[in-house]
Amino acid sequence: MDEQKKLDEFQRRIDNGEKIEPKDWMPDRYRKQLIRMMSQHAHSEVVGMLPEGNWIERAPSLKRKKVLLAKVQDEAGHGLYIYSAVETLGVTRRELVEEYIYGKAKYSSIFNYPTLTYADICAIGWLVDGAAIVNQTMLAKSSYGPYSRSMVRICKEESFHKKQGYEMLAKMANGTPEQKKMAQDAVNRWWWPTLMMFGPPDDESPNSAELIKWGVKSKTNDELRQSFVDRTVMEAKKIGIELPDPDLKYNKETGHWDYGEIPWDEFWEVIRGNGPMNRERIRARRKAYEEGAWVREAASEYARKKKLRDEKAS
Amino acid sequence: MKESANGTKQNEWPLWEVFYQPNNGKPFEHAGSVHAPDAEMALQNARDTYSRRNEGINLWVVPSDQIVASTPEDQGPFFDPANDKAYRHPQFYSVPRAAKKRK
Protein backbone atom coordinates (compact mmCIF):
# COMPACT_ATOMS: atom_id res chain seq x y z
CA MET A 1 0.00 0.00 0.00
CA ASP A 2 1.35 3.43 -0.80
CA GLU A 3 1.56 6.13 1.84
CA GLN A 4 -1.58 8.00 0.81
CA LYS A 5 -3.71 4.85 0.85
CA LYS A 6 -2.41 3.97 4.30
CA LEU A 7 -3.17 7.47 5.50
CA ASP A 8 -6.73 7.33 4.10
CA GLU A 9 -7.31 3.95 5.70
CA PHE A 10 -5.96 5.28 9.00
CA GLN A 11 -8.29 8.31 8.85
CA ARG A 12 -11.21 6.02 8.01
CA ARG A 13 -10.52 3.94 11.12
CA ILE A 14 -10.33 7.10 13.27
CA ASP A 15 -13.58 8.48 11.80
CA ASN A 16 -15.21 5.12 12.51
CA GLY A 17 -14.31 5.48 16.16
CA GLU A 18 -11.86 2.57 16.07
CA LYS A 19 -8.93 2.52 18.50
CA ILE A 20 -5.38 2.51 17.21
CA GLU A 21 -3.15 -0.05 18.92
CA PRO A 22 0.66 0.04 19.33
CA LYS A 23 1.50 -2.31 16.44
CA ASP A 24 -1.01 -0.79 13.99
CA TRP A 25 0.26 1.39 11.17
CA MET A 26 0.11 5.09 12.12
CA PRO A 27 1.46 8.26 10.51
CA ASP A 28 4.80 9.29 11.94
CA ARG A 29 3.31 12.62 12.88
CA TYR A 30 0.52 10.93 14.91
CA ARG A 31 3.15 8.97 16.82
CA LYS A 32 5.22 12.11 17.45
CA GLN A 33 2.24 14.17 18.58
CA LEU A 34 1.18 11.41 20.95
CA ILE A 35 4.66 11.05 22.42
CA ARG A 36 4.81 14.81 22.98
CA MET A 37 1.36 15.14 24.47
CA MET A 38 1.36 11.97 26.57
CA SER A 39 4.83 12.53 27.98
CA GLN A 40 3.90 16.08 28.99
CA HIS A 41 0.87 14.61 30.69
CA ALA A 42 2.95 11.98 32.51
CA HIS A 43 5.54 14.55 33.63
CA SER A 44 2.71 16.72 34.96
CA GLU A 45 1.36 13.90 37.11
CA VAL A 46 4.81 13.31 38.58
CA VAL A 47 5.70 16.95 39.19
CA GLY A 48 2.19 17.38 40.64
CA MET A 49 3.34 15.41 43.68
CA LEU A 50 5.65 18.24 44.73
CA PRO A 51 3.27 21.10 45.63
CA GLU A 52 1.07 18.73 47.64
CA GLY A 53 3.86 16.62 49.10
CA ASN A 54 5.00 19.90 50.62
CA TRP A 55 2.12 19.63 53.13
CA ILE A 56 2.06 15.93 54.07
CA GLU A 57 4.10 16.47 57.23
CA ARG A 58 2.04 19.49 58.23
CA ALA A 59 -1.44 18.12 57.58
CA PRO A 60 -3.97 19.39 60.16
CA SER A 61 -4.98 15.91 61.36
CA LEU A 62 -4.04 12.27 60.97
CA LYS A 63 -7.09 11.76 58.78
CA ARG A 64 -6.07 14.55 56.39
CA LYS A 65 -2.52 13.26 56.38
CA LYS A 66 -3.67 9.80 55.30
CA VAL A 67 -5.91 11.30 52.62
CA LEU A 68 -3.12 13.48 51.26
CA LEU A 69 -0.63 10.60 51.26
CA ALA A 70 -3.09 8.46 49.30
CA LYS A 71 -3.71 11.27 46.83
CA VAL A 72 -0.01 11.94 46.26
CA GLN A 73 0.59 8.21 45.80
CA ASP A 74 -2.19 8.18 43.19
CA GLU A 75 -0.42 10.98 41.29
CA ALA A 76 2.71 8.82 41.12
CA GLY A 77 0.52 5.96 39.88
CA HIS A 78 -1.06 8.20 37.23
CA GLY A 79 2.38 9.20 35.99
CA LEU A 80 3.32 5.53 35.73
CA TYR A 81 0.12 4.54 33.85
CA ILE A 82 0.84 7.19 31.23
CA TYR A 83 4.59 6.48 30.99
CA SER A 84 3.70 2.84 30.43
CA ALA A 85 1.31 3.91 27.65
CA VAL A 86 3.92 6.19 25.99
CA GLU A 87 6.46 3.39 26.00
CA THR A 88 4.19 1.40 23.66
CA LEU A 89 5.07 4.03 21.02
CA GLY A 90 8.70 2.94 20.99
CA VAL A 91 10.43 5.30 23.42
CA THR A 92 12.16 4.15 26.57
CA ARG A 93 11.24 5.31 30.04
CA ARG A 94 14.71 6.67 30.55
CA GLU A 95 14.59 8.79 27.40
CA LEU A 96 11.27 10.22 28.53
CA VAL A 97 12.36 11.00 32.06
CA GLU A 98 15.68 12.49 31.04
CA GLU A 99 14.13 14.61 28.30
CA TYR A 100 12.14 16.18 31.09
CA ILE A 101 14.81 16.43 33.80
CA TYR A 102 17.69 17.54 31.56
CA GLY A 103 15.99 18.43 28.31
CA LYS A 104 13.17 20.55 27.03
CA ALA A 105 10.07 18.47 27.73
CA LYS A 106 7.27 20.50 29.27
CA TYR A 107 4.73 19.84 31.99
CA SER A 108 1.55 21.62 33.05
CA SER A 109 2.18 25.23 34.06
CA ILE A 110 -0.11 24.88 37.09
CA PHE A 111 2.57 23.08 39.09
CA ASN A 112 4.87 26.08 38.98
CA TYR A 113 2.81 27.86 41.62
CA PRO A 114 3.55 27.55 45.35
CA THR A 115 1.25 26.02 47.99
CA LEU A 116 1.29 28.66 50.72
CA THR A 117 -1.28 27.31 53.20
CA TYR A 118 -3.24 24.12 53.77
CA ALA A 119 -6.21 25.77 52.11
CA ASP A 120 -4.19 25.53 48.89
CA ILE A 121 -4.43 21.75 49.19
CA CYS A 122 -8.23 22.10 49.32
CA ALA A 123 -8.28 24.49 46.36
CA ILE A 124 -5.99 22.24 44.29
CA GLY A 125 -8.22 19.22 44.88
CA TRP A 126 -11.34 21.11 43.95
CA LEU A 127 -10.07 23.27 41.08
CA VAL A 128 -6.94 21.65 39.64
CA ASP A 129 -8.18 18.07 39.90
CA GLY A 130 -11.63 19.25 38.83
CA ALA A 131 -10.10 20.74 35.67
CA ALA A 132 -8.07 17.58 35.14
CA ILE A 133 -11.26 15.51 35.26
CA VAL A 134 -12.86 17.60 32.49
CA ASN A 135 -9.79 17.13 30.31
CA GLN A 136 -9.22 13.47 31.11
CA THR A 137 -12.83 12.45 30.64
CA MET A 138 -12.43 13.63 27.06
CA LEU A 139 -9.06 11.88 26.70
CA ALA A 140 -10.61 8.61 27.89
CA LYS A 141 -12.22 8.55 24.42
CA SER A 142 -8.90 9.17 22.70
CA SER A 143 -8.16 7.26 19.50
CA TYR A 144 -4.94 5.73 20.86
CA GLY A 145 -5.90 2.59 22.79
CA PRO A 146 -3.23 2.59 25.51
CA TYR A 147 -3.75 6.32 26.22
CA SER A 148 -7.50 5.91 26.37
CA ARG A 149 -7.23 2.95 28.76
CA SER A 150 -4.84 4.77 31.07
CA MET A 151 -7.29 7.70 31.19
CA VAL A 152 -10.21 5.44 32.11
CA ARG A 153 -8.13 4.17 35.02
CA ILE A 154 -7.16 7.70 36.07
CA CYS A 155 -10.69 9.13 35.87
CA LYS A 156 -11.91 6.49 38.31
CA GLU A 157 -9.41 7.72 40.89
CA GLU A 158 -9.57 11.41 40.16
CA SER A 159 -13.05 11.95 41.56
CA PHE A 160 -11.74 11.10 45.04
CA HIS A 161 -9.09 13.80 44.57
CA LYS A 162 -11.65 16.41 43.71
CA LYS A 163 -14.13 15.41 46.36
CA GLN A 164 -11.69 15.44 49.25
CA GLY A 165 -10.61 18.96 48.23
CA TYR A 166 -14.14 20.24 47.82
CA GLU A 167 -15.22 18.77 51.15
CA MET A 168 -12.32 20.38 53.01
CA LEU A 169 -12.83 23.72 51.31
CA ALA A 170 -16.53 23.65 52.17
CA LYS A 171 -15.61 23.00 55.80
CA MET A 172 -13.17 25.92 55.85
CA ALA A 173 -15.61 28.21 54.09
CA ASN A 174 -18.11 27.50 56.88
CA GLY A 175 -15.53 27.69 59.66
CA THR A 176 -14.06 30.58 61.66
CA PRO A 177 -13.55 33.94 59.94
CA GLU A 178 -9.82 33.14 59.68
CA GLN A 179 -10.52 29.79 58.03
CA LYS A 180 -12.96 31.38 55.64
CA LYS A 181 -10.39 33.99 54.73
CA MET A 182 -7.75 31.33 54.12
CA ALA A 183 -10.11 29.36 51.87
CA GLN A 184 -11.07 32.43 49.84
CA ASP A 185 -7.45 33.53 49.52
CA ALA A 186 -6.42 30.12 48.18
CA VAL A 187 -9.24 30.16 45.60
CA ASN A 188 -8.27 33.69 44.57
CA ARG A 189 -4.74 32.55 43.82
CA TRP A 190 -5.59 29.24 42.08
CA TRP A 191 -8.57 30.32 39.94
CA TRP A 192 -6.77 31.94 37.01
CA PRO A 193 -3.87 29.47 36.80
CA THR A 194 -6.49 26.67 36.75
CA LEU A 195 -8.25 28.24 33.77
CA MET A 196 -4.88 28.37 32.00
CA MET A 197 -4.49 24.59 32.43
CA PHE A 198 -6.69 24.04 29.38
CA GLY A 199 -4.03 25.68 27.24
CA PRO A 200 -4.01 28.77 25.02
CA PRO A 201 -7.22 30.02 23.38
CA ASP A 202 -8.27 28.09 20.26
CA ASP A 203 -6.94 30.65 17.78
CA GLU A 204 -3.47 30.36 19.34
CA SER A 205 -3.36 26.62 19.82
CA PRO A 206 -1.25 25.20 17.00
CA ASN A 207 -1.75 21.50 17.74
CA SER A 208 -5.49 21.41 18.40
CA ALA A 209 -6.85 20.97 14.87
CA GLU A 210 -4.55 18.06 14.11
CA LEU A 211 -5.22 16.35 17.44
CA ILE A 212 -8.96 16.64 16.87
CA LYS A 213 -8.72 15.37 13.29
CA TRP A 214 -6.91 12.28 14.59
CA GLY A 215 -9.35 11.75 17.42
CA VAL A 216 -6.72 12.21 20.13
CA LYS A 217 -8.90 15.02 21.48
CA SER A 218 -12.56 15.62 20.75
CA LYS A 219 -13.00 19.12 22.18
CA THR A 220 -11.03 22.33 21.86
CA ASN A 221 -9.25 24.08 24.74
CA ASP A 222 -11.93 26.77 24.95
CA GLU A 223 -14.77 24.25 24.94
CA LEU A 224 -13.20 22.33 27.80
CA ARG A 225 -12.49 25.55 29.70
CA GLN A 226 -16.10 26.65 29.31
CA SER A 227 -17.50 23.38 30.59
CA PHE A 228 -15.19 23.61 33.62
CA VAL A 229 -16.28 27.20 34.35
CA ASP A 230 -19.97 26.29 34.07
CA ARG A 231 -19.80 23.49 36.60
CA THR A 232 -17.42 25.29 38.97
CA VAL A 233 -19.57 28.42 39.28
CA MET A 234 -22.36 26.32 40.73
CA GLU A 235 -20.06 24.46 43.10
CA ALA A 236 -18.57 27.73 44.40
CA LYS A 237 -22.00 29.17 45.10
CA LYS A 238 -23.06 26.15 47.11
CA ILE A 239 -20.20 26.54 49.58
CA GLY A 240 -20.19 30.33 49.79
CA ILE A 241 -16.90 30.86 47.96
CA GLU A 242 -16.47 33.66 45.45
CA LEU A 243 -14.62 33.20 42.19
CA PRO A 244 -12.25 36.17 41.72
CA ASP A 245 -13.66 37.38 38.42
CA PRO A 246 -15.92 40.47 38.39
CA ASP A 247 -16.88 39.73 34.77
CA LEU A 248 -18.32 36.30 35.52
CA LYS A 249 -21.87 36.48 34.22
CA TYR A 250 -24.53 34.03 33.04
CA ASN A 251 -25.20 34.42 29.35
CA LYS A 252 -28.82 33.59 28.59
CA GLU A 253 -28.23 33.29 24.86
CA THR A 254 -25.42 30.75 25.03
CA GLY A 255 -26.51 29.09 28.25
CA HIS A 256 -22.94 29.40 29.54
CA TRP A 257 -21.09 31.55 32.05
CA ASP A 258 -19.00 34.30 30.42
CA TYR A 259 -15.70 34.94 32.13
CA GLY A 260 -13.18 37.78 32.12
CA GLU A 261 -9.86 38.11 30.33
CA ILE A 262 -7.39 35.38 31.32
CA PRO A 263 -3.93 36.84 32.09
CA TRP A 264 -2.18 35.10 29.18
CA ASP A 265 1.06 37.07 29.61
CA GLU A 266 1.52 35.31 32.91
CA PHE A 267 0.82 31.95 31.25
CA TRP A 268 3.51 32.48 28.61
CA GLU A 269 5.99 33.66 31.25
CA VAL A 270 5.44 30.48 33.28
CA ILE A 271 5.77 28.33 30.13
CA ARG A 272 9.05 30.11 29.39
CA GLY A 273 10.33 28.96 32.78
CA ASN A 274 9.77 32.12 34.79
CA GLY A 275 6.94 31.03 37.06
CA PRO A 276 7.37 31.29 40.83
CA MET A 277 8.41 27.64 41.23
CA ASN A 278 9.83 26.46 37.86
CA ARG A 279 13.43 26.29 39.01
CA GLU A 280 12.56 24.70 42.34
CA ARG A 281 10.48 21.96 40.67
CA ILE A 282 13.22 20.95 38.27
CA ARG A 283 15.80 21.09 41.05
CA ALA A 284 13.71 18.76 43.22
CA ARG A 285 13.14 16.28 40.36
CA ARG A 286 16.84 16.26 39.43
CA LYS A 287 17.84 15.71 43.04
CA ALA A 288 15.44 12.78 43.42
CA TYR A 289 16.61 11.22 40.15
CA GLU A 290 20.32 11.58 40.86
CA GLU A 291 20.24 10.69 44.53
CA GLY A 292 18.08 7.66 43.77
CA ALA A 293 20.54 6.39 41.11
CA TRP A 294 22.45 4.18 43.55
CA VAL A 295 19.23 2.49 44.65
CA ARG A 296 18.33 1.60 41.06
CA GLU A 297 21.87 0.33 40.44
CA ALA A 298 21.97 -1.71 43.66
CA ALA A 299 18.64 -3.36 42.84
CA SER A 300 19.86 -4.27 39.34
CA GLU A 301 23.08 -5.68 40.75
CA TYR A 302 21.19 -7.69 43.37
CA ALA A 303 18.94 -9.13 40.68
CA ARG A 304 21.94 -10.03 38.51
CA LYS A 305 23.78 -11.81 41.33
CA LYS A 306 20.69 -13.63 42.49
CA LYS A 307 20.10 -14.92 38.98
CA LEU A 308 23.69 -16.18 38.78
CA ARG A 309 23.33 -17.91 42.14
CA ASP A 310 20.06 -19.54 41.12
CA GLU A 311 21.59 -20.77 37.86
CA LYS A 312 24.55 -22.31 39.71
CA ALA A 313 22.29 -24.03 42.22
CA SER A 314 20.18 -25.71 39.59
CA MET B 1 25.35 0.22 29.96
CA LYS B 2 24.67 3.49 28.25
CA GLU B 3 25.89 6.88 29.31
CA SER B 4 22.95 8.97 30.50
CA ALA B 5 22.48 12.67 29.91
CA ASN B 6 24.07 13.72 33.20
CA GLY B 7 27.07 11.46 32.65
CA THR B 8 26.21 8.75 35.18
CA LYS B 9 26.10 5.15 34.02
CA GLN B 10 22.71 3.58 34.37
CA ASN B 11 20.88 0.79 32.71
CA GLU B 12 17.14 0.69 32.62
CA TRP B 13 15.27 -1.94 34.63
CA PRO B 14 13.53 -4.48 32.40
CA LEU B 15 9.90 -3.98 31.42
CA TRP B 16 7.16 -6.36 32.65
CA GLU B 17 3.58 -6.65 31.44
CA VAL B 18 1.04 -6.76 34.24
CA PHE B 19 -2.18 -8.82 34.25
CA TYR B 20 -4.74 -8.88 37.03
CA GLN B 21 -7.73 -10.97 37.98
CA PRO B 22 -10.50 -8.55 38.96
CA ASN B 23 -12.56 -11.08 40.92
CA ASN B 24 -12.71 -14.68 41.88
CA GLY B 25 -13.52 -16.80 38.85
CA LYS B 26 -12.83 -14.03 36.32
CA PRO B 27 -10.19 -14.24 33.58
CA PHE B 28 -6.99 -12.18 33.87
CA GLU B 29 -6.88 -8.83 32.09
CA HIS B 30 -3.96 -6.74 30.88
CA ALA B 31 -3.41 -3.68 33.09
CA GLY B 32 -0.24 -2.04 31.74
CA SER B 33 3.45 -2.40 32.43
CA VAL B 34 6.05 -1.70 35.11
CA HIS B 35 9.82 -1.58 35.28
CA ALA B 36 11.55 -3.75 37.85
CA PRO B 37 14.96 -5.43 38.28
CA ASP B 38 13.49 -8.85 39.12
CA ALA B 39 10.21 -10.76 39.28
CA GLU B 40 9.64 -10.17 42.98
CA MET B 41 9.91 -6.39 42.67
CA ALA B 42 7.89 -6.49 39.47
CA LEU B 43 5.03 -8.05 41.44
CA GLN B 44 5.32 -5.48 44.22
CA ASN B 45 5.51 -2.58 41.76
CA ALA B 46 2.54 -3.99 39.88
CA ARG B 47 0.53 -4.14 43.10
CA ASP B 48 1.40 -0.54 44.03
CA THR B 49 0.76 0.75 40.52
CA TYR B 50 -2.30 -1.19 39.38
CA SER B 51 -4.05 -2.40 42.50
CA ARG B 52 -4.24 0.38 45.08
CA ARG B 53 -8.00 -0.11 45.39
CA ASN B 54 -8.28 -3.89 45.20
CA GLU B 55 -8.69 -3.82 41.43
CA GLY B 56 -7.14 -7.26 41.39
CA ILE B 57 -7.14 -10.24 43.71
CA ASN B 58 -4.30 -11.90 41.80
CA LEU B 59 -1.50 -10.56 39.63
CA TRP B 60 0.71 -11.94 36.87
CA VAL B 61 3.89 -10.25 35.67
CA VAL B 62 5.54 -11.37 32.44
CA PRO B 63 8.80 -10.03 30.95
CA SER B 64 7.57 -7.89 28.04
CA ASP B 65 10.12 -9.36 25.63
CA GLN B 66 8.65 -12.82 26.26
CA ILE B 67 5.26 -11.90 24.83
CA VAL B 68 4.71 -13.18 21.31
CA ALA B 69 1.98 -11.32 19.43
CA SER B 70 0.24 -11.58 16.07
CA THR B 71 0.87 -8.70 13.68
CA PRO B 72 -1.96 -6.38 12.57
CA GLU B 73 -0.73 -6.49 8.92
CA ASP B 74 -1.35 -10.24 8.82
CA GLN B 75 -4.71 -9.95 10.51
CA GLY B 76 -6.61 -10.93 7.35
CA PRO B 77 -4.80 -14.12 6.33
CA PHE B 78 -4.02 -15.07 9.94
CA PHE B 79 -7.64 -15.18 11.05
CA ASP B 80 -8.95 -16.21 7.64
CA PRO B 81 -9.56 -19.89 8.57
CA ALA B 82 -12.38 -18.79 10.87
CA ASN B 83 -14.20 -16.76 8.22
CA ASP B 84 -15.77 -19.49 6.08
CA LYS B 85 -16.98 -21.77 8.87
CA ALA B 86 -20.44 -20.53 9.60
CA TYR B 87 -21.33 -24.05 10.75
CA ARG B 88 -19.42 -23.35 13.98
CA HIS B 89 -22.23 -21.06 15.10
CA PRO B 90 -25.64 -22.13 16.36
CA GLN B 91 -27.35 -19.70 13.94
CA PHE B 92 -26.21 -21.97 11.10
CA TYR B 93 -28.79 -24.56 12.07
CA SER B 94 -32.52 -24.40 11.68
CA VAL B 95 -34.78 -25.70 14.36
CA PRO B 96 -37.90 -27.71 13.46
CA ARG B 97 -40.94 -25.50 13.62
CA ALA B 98 -42.67 -27.69 16.20
CA ALA B 99 -39.72 -27.43 18.56
CA LYS B 100 -39.54 -23.64 18.08
CA LYS B 101 -43.10 -22.94 19.14
CA ARG B 102 -42.91 -24.80 22.40
CA LYS B 103 -41.26 -22.22 24.65
Side-chain angles (χ1 to χ4, degrees), chain B residues 86-87 89-101:
Chain B
Y87 48 86
H89 300 279
Q91 295 88 325
F92 182 76
Y93 302 93
S94 55
V95 178
R97 184 171 277 200
K100 232 184 204 171
K101 272 184 184 166

Side-chain angles (χ1 to χ4, degrees), chain A residues 105-216:
Chain A
K106 296 229 174 337
Y107 56 89
S108 175
S109 59
I110 193 77
F111 301 115
N112 290 315
Y113 291 87
T115 40
L116 303 181
T117 74
Y118 207 80
D120 289 42
I121 301 302
C122 316
I124 287 178
W126 176 43
L127 296 174
V128 176
D129 290 274
I133 289 174
V134 170
N135 192 34
Q136 291 171 158
T137 308
M138 166 194 71
L139 292 173
K141 291 179 225 124
S142 174
S143 59
Y144 188 55
Y147 195 26
S148 153
R149 291 191 286 273
S150 69
M151 287 303 117
V152 170
R153 212 167 260 286
I154 287 179
C155 284
K156 279 188 193 155
E157 303 180 350
E158 205 83 70
S159 48
F160 140 59
H161 296 181
K162 182 186 167 180
K163 230 173 147 184
Q164 58 87 35
Y166 188 55
E167 180 202 79
M168 272 198 294
L169 198 73
K171 275 208 169 129
M172 288 188 85
N174 291 298
T176 63
E178 286 84 3
Q179 286 173 325
K180 191 172 168 115
K181 210 176 139 199
M182 260 174 84
Q184 185 60 57
D185 169 65
V187 171
N188 291 350
R189 283 182 289 107
W190 287 94
W191 175 248
W192 293 106
T194 302
L195 290 191
M196 297 173 201
M197 278 174 72
F198 296 97
D202 292 349
D203 48 10
E204 286 171 51
S205 175
N207 295 309
S208 268
E210 194 172 51
L211 292 173
I212 289 176
K213 183 182 84 177
W214 280 334
V216 178

Side-chain angles (χ1 to χ4, degrees), chain A residues 23-24 73-74 77 80-81 84 87 92-94 98 102 153 157 160 289-290 293 296-297 299-300 303, chain B residues 2-6 9-13 15 20 31 33 35 37-38 49-50 52-53 55 69-70 72-73:
Chain A
K23 291 174 84 182
D24 295 350
Q73 195 196 7
D74 274 353
L80 293 175
Y81 302 158
S84 146
E87 285 175 270
T92 68
R93 177 76 60 89
R94 209 182 79 184
E98 294 195 348
Y102 303 109
R153 212 167 260 286
E157 303 180 350
F160 140 59
Y289 188 66
E290 284 165 14
R296 295 191 292 276
E297 278 167 39
S300 290
Chain B
K2 272 194 271 173
E3 194 92 353
S4 87
N6 66 339
K9 281 189 177 166
Q10 293 183 351
N11 53 358
E12 190 167 69
W13 285 350
L15 193 64
Y20 68 102
S33 62
H35 285 271
D38 58 32
T49 308
Y50 294 104
R52 286 190 301 284
R53 290 173 178 79
E55 286 91 337
S70 61
E73 292 83 46

Side-chain angles (χ1 to χ4, degrees), chain A residues 31-275:
Chain A
R31 184 186 299 276
K32 281 198 178 124
Q33 283 282 37
L34 277 175
I35 292 174
R36 179 191 63 81
M37 182 174 162
M38 291 166 70
S39 61
Q40 279 184 14
H41 194 164
H43 303 328
S44 302
E45 298 285 351
V46 172
V47 86
M49 289 192 279
L50 294 170
E52 293 186 287
N54 178 34
W55 282 93
I56 290 175
E57 289 183 339
R58 294 175 288 167
S61 68
L62 182 60
K63 177 185 160 188
R64 292 300 169 191
K65 187 174 184 165
K66 287 198 296 189
V67 169
L68 188 55
L69 263 173
K71 179 176 191 285
V72 171
Q73 195 196 7
D74 274 353
E75 305 299 356
H78 295 179
L80 293 175
Y81 302 158
I82 310 172
Y83 278 132
S84 146
V86 197
E87 285 175 270
T88 63
L89 291 161
V91 269
T92 68
R93 177 76 60 89
R94 209 182 79 184
E95 283 170 320
L96 290 168
V97 170
E98 294 195 348
E99 180 55 23
Y100 152 50
I101 296 182
Y102 303 109
K104 291 195 193 78
K106 296 229 174 337
Y107 56 89
S108 175
S109 59
I110 193 77
F111 301 115
N112 290 315
Y113 291 87
T115 40
L116 303 181
T117 74
Y118 207 80
D120 289 42
I121 301 302
C122 316
I124 287 178
W126 176 43
L127 296 174
V128 176
D129 290 274
I133 289 174
V134 170
N135 192 34
Q136 291 171 158
T137 308
M138 166 194 71
L139 292 173
K141 291 179 225 124
S142 174
S143 59
Y144 188 55
Y147 195 26
S148 153
R149 291 191 286 273
S150 69
M151 287 303 117
V152 170
R153 212 167 260 286
I154 287 179
C155 284
K156 279 188 193 155
E157 303 180 350
E158 205 83 70
S159 48
F160 140 59
H161 296 181
K162 182 186 167 180
K163 230 173 147 184
Q164 58 87 35
Y166 188 55
E167 180 202 79
M168 272 198 294
L169 198 73
K171 275 208 169 129
M172 288 188 85
N174 291 298
T176 63
E178 286 84 3
Q179 286 173 325
K180 191 172 168 115
K181 210 176 139 199
M182 260 174 84
Q184 185 60 57
D185 169 65
V187 171
N188 291 350
R189 283 182 289 107
W190 287 94
W191 175 248
W192 293 106
T194 302
L195 290 191
M196 297 173 201
M197 278 174 72
F198 296 97
D202 292 349
D203 48 10
E204 286 171 51
S205 175
N207 295 309
S208 268
E210 194 172 51
L211 292 173
I212 289 176
K213 183 182 84 177
W214 280 334
V216 178
K217 295 173 63 169
S218 50
K219 288 180 183 141
T220 70
N221 296 353
D222 285 332
E223 284 169 348
L224 291 167
R225 191 167 11 246
Q226 186 65 60
S227 104
F228 171 75
V229 170
D230 290 346
R231 68 171 74 183
T232 308
V233 167
M234 304 324 263
E235 290 168 355
K237 268 196 184 146
K238 281 180 197 152
I239 59 170
I241 284 284
E242 269 179 48
L243 297 174
D245 179 358
D247 296 328
L248 208 53
K249 215 170 48 213
Y250 186 71
N251 184 327
K252 271 185 197 155
E253 276 171 33
T254 61
H256 294 296
W257 286 81
D258 292 338
Y259 49 89
E261 184 66 30
I262 295 171
W264 289 115
D265 290 349
E266 179 185 314
F267 173 78
W268 294 115
E269 268 308 295
V270 178
I271 294 279
R272 256 178 242 128
N274 301 321

